[in-house]
Every structure is written in C-alpha cells, then in structure tokens.
C-alpha cells in the first residue's frame, strides 16, 4: 500500500482528511507540519497538509514551506473542524489549571480560552496535546478532536468550543516532482516582484482583461532577504480563457514565478 504523509498521530484532523481523500493509501505520521513536507520531498510519496482555515486564514508554516520548496499541489479537501475540551483528572471546566492546545486550534478557540483565564501550552498537533495530559499530573485539559479522545479514559468537558460553529479547513494534497497540468479552474502560483512603483498593479491589471478572478493573494517575508517578500495567489481561470496566456502575464512581469498547481473545479 502506498503512503500518504500527514500530521499525527491517529485521529488528528490531518489524519481524518488523509483517510477521506485517499482511503487506499496508508497514513504515515509526522510530528509537525514542516516535517510532513520534508517527508514528501525525501520519499516522493504524497502528503496532505492544511492550507487555510475559515477562521484564521492561511496556515503559515505550510505556505512558507510551499513558497520556497519543490512540491506541487495536486488536490484539495475541505473538512469541518470541531474542537473538544477533554481531561483525565478534571471533573468540570472550573477545575482546570492548564490547557494543552495545538497552535492553530488555539486561534480557532481563542474566545473560549480567553474566558477560562488559565495558562496555555502550545503543541504541534492535537494528538500531542492529548498525550500531554498523561505526562502531567496537574489538573490539565487538552483541546483535541473527537477521533483522538474516543476509546480512551478521557472525560469530555465541552464540545464544539471553536469561535465559529462553521469552522472549515481546506487541506491540500502535495507531491514532489509532478508536472503541473495547466487547466481551467483554480490555479495557485507564487511569485516575486522588483521593488518598483506600480509593480503589483501592473501585474494584476491584465488579469481582468483575461476574465480571471483573483480568489486570494498573500505576501510572506522572504526567509533569506530581509525586507523582500514572496506572494501567493489563487486564480479562478474560467473556460474560454487562455491559461498559458495568464501564466505568461506572471512570467513577463515577475522576477520569479512558480506554478504550485491547477485544480479543476
């Protein structure tokens, strides 16, 4: 059975997305998101990582790794994210003295955590947050997934504690060394620009003439060049538009352009 790398261990949202998107592949767990992407580069196997959340936006470690790496996006999958508060020793929320929570989950549950007014320890995954309860005898709780805590001796204290009940994450499937097929649909690119007046405007203006809709655009600091940035952009390229001409706009106006992937709708 071929592998698909994801953030682990068992029961994390990444694990659930991997099982739903690629049920015929064996999930291989990594301790953090950066390691998932490194494993894909080393092995050549597929991986699945969260790209953006409806509450908190882009997942920064993922987008930063994709901007400078050699992986391509070959698919995507949306998953509803419901966070649960569980404990081994606490009988109620009022008993809790400390909470373990994954970094992105922290931001998605910020309102609930603010009301608790207890120290928070950040972890790399929801599975690790849950495991931390066994390692610490203090009256602690963890924010985790239903799939993680089911079957254990954990007590569910609160469910669906995210800021917004409609809380979705878009996962992307990534691979290394795959040729990107230019196709109509959602096209994801990264690019760099010269520091000149109107550079970004000159790049984006022709897209409207080509009937291309900009779905998202973000800038991220360049890790090797202080004061310089790389951009990530998602384009909706409809049937009837020339995909190669759209890509040509970027190649003509940018210092560097990389096509991360094109996904049919």
């Amino acid at each position: 059975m071929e592998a698909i790398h994801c953030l682990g261990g068992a029961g994390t949202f990444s694990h659930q997305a991997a099982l739903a998107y690629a049920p015929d592949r064996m999930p291989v767990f990594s301790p953090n998101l950066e390691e998932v992407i490194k494993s894909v580069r080393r092995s050549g196997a597929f991986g699945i990582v969260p790209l953006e959340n409806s509450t908190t936006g882009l997942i920064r470690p993922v987008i930063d790794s994709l901007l400078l790496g050699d992986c391509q996006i070959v698919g995507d999958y949306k998953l509803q994210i419901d966070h649960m508060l569980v404990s081994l020793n606490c009988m109620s929320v009022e008993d809790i003295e400390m909470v373990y929570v994954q970094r992105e989950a922290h931001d998605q549950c910020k309102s609930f955590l603010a009301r608790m007014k207890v120290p928070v320890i950040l972890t790399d995954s929801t599975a690790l947050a849950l495991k931390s309860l066994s390692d610490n005898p203090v009256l602690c709780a963890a924010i985790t997934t239903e799939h993680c805590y089911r079957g254990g001796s954990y007590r569910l204290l609160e469910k669906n504690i995210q800021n917004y009940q409609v809380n979705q994450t878009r996962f992307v499937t990534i691979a290394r060394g795959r040729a990107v097929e230019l196709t109509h649909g959602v096209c994801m690119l990264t690019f760099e620009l010269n520091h000149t007046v109107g550079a970004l405007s000159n790049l984006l203006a022709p897209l409207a003439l080509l009937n291309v809709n900009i779905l998202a655009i973000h800038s991220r600091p360049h890790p090797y060049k202080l004061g310089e940035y790389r951009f990530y952009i998602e384009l909706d390229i409809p049937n009837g538009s020339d995909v190669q001409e759209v890509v040509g706009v970027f190649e003509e106006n940018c210092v560097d352009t990389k096509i991360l992937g094109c996904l049919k709708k």
Side-chain angles (χ1 to χ4, degrees), residues 66-256:
L66 291 177
L67 286 178
L68 294 173
D70 53 357
C71 289
Q72 294 78 43
I73 295 173
V74 296
D76 64 353
Y77 180 80
K78 293 179 181 177
L79 183 70
Q80 169 65 23
I81 306 297
D82 295 319
H83 293 291
M84 312 294 171
L85 183 72
V86 304
S87 179
L88 283 172
N89 303 318
C90 299
M91 299 299 294
S92 68
V93 175
E94 289 71 26
D95 297 333
I96 298 171
E97 297 179 357
M98 185 184 300
V99 176
Y100 292 97
V101 57
Q102 191 265 352
R103 300 171 190 277
E104 295 298 328
H106 171 273
D107 291 343
Q108 294 167 28
C109 302
K110 189 174 291 185
S111 298
F112 182 87
L113 288 168
R115 293 194 298 271
M116 291 187 66
K117 298 179 180 179
V118 297
V120 171
I121 305 297
L122 299 179
T123 66
D124 284 325
S125 72
T126 51
L128 183 57
L130 192 65
K131 180 181 180 298
S132 299
L133 294 183
S134 302
D135 300 336
N136 194 333
V138 181
L139 292 172
C140 297
I143 294 177
T144 188
T145 76
E146 183 176 3
H147 288 73
C148 276
Y149 83 83
R150 288 292 188 192
S153 54
Y154 304 100
R155 179 177 290 106
L156 175 63
L157 301 179
E158 292 282 349
K159 63 180 181 179
N160 300 336
I161 62 172
Q162 59 271 15
N163 298 342
Y164 305 103
Q165 292 308 296
V166 179
N167 182 43
Q168 294 185 324
T169 292
R170 178 162 66 117
F171 291 82
V172 291
T173 308
I174 59 174
R176 179 177 178 268
R178 306 296 172 109
V180 176
E181 178 186 358
L182 296 180
T183 182
H184 301 98
V186 178
C187 190
M188 294 155 283
L189 304 94
T190 72
F191 61 91
E192 290 183 50
L193 292 169
N194 284 317
H195 283 287
T196 56
V197 175
L200 184 58
S201 175
N202 292 336
L203 169 67
L204 300 182
L207 298 180
L209 301 177
L210 296 173
N211 199 30
V212 172
N213 182 32
I214 299 174
L215 299 175
I217 183 169
H218 303 272
S219 65
R220 295 295 299 148
H222 198 299
Y224 311 129
K225 303 174 184 178
L226 180 63
E228 296 191 22
Y229 298 83
R230 288 188 65 88
F231 290 86
Y232 168 79
I233 192 168
E234 289 191 13
L235 306 174
D236 182 4
I237 305 178
N239 292 330
S241 295
D242 188 328
V243 181
Q244 188 59 61
E245 187 175 0
V246 173
V247 173
V249 171
F250 286 84
E251 293 175 341
E252 180 180 345
N253 289 278
C254 300
V255 176
D256 179 52

Side-chain angles (χ1 to χ4, degrees), residues 3-7 28-49 70-71 174-176:
I4 182 167
H5 295 273
C6 64
L7 180 64
V28 177
F29 299 129
S30 294
N32 56 59
L33 292 171
E34 292 90 343
E35 280 300 319
V36 174
I37 297 175
K38 288 179 182 178
S39 296
V40 171
R41 290 175 180 151
R42 286 194 299 263
S43 68
F46 285 95
I48 191 164
V49 289
D70 53 357
C71 289
I174 59 174
R176 179 177 178 268

Side-chain angles (χ1 to χ4, degrees), residues 5-18:
H5 295 273
C6 64
L7 180 64
T12 62
F13 292 117
S14 291
H15 184 208
Q16 295 174 47

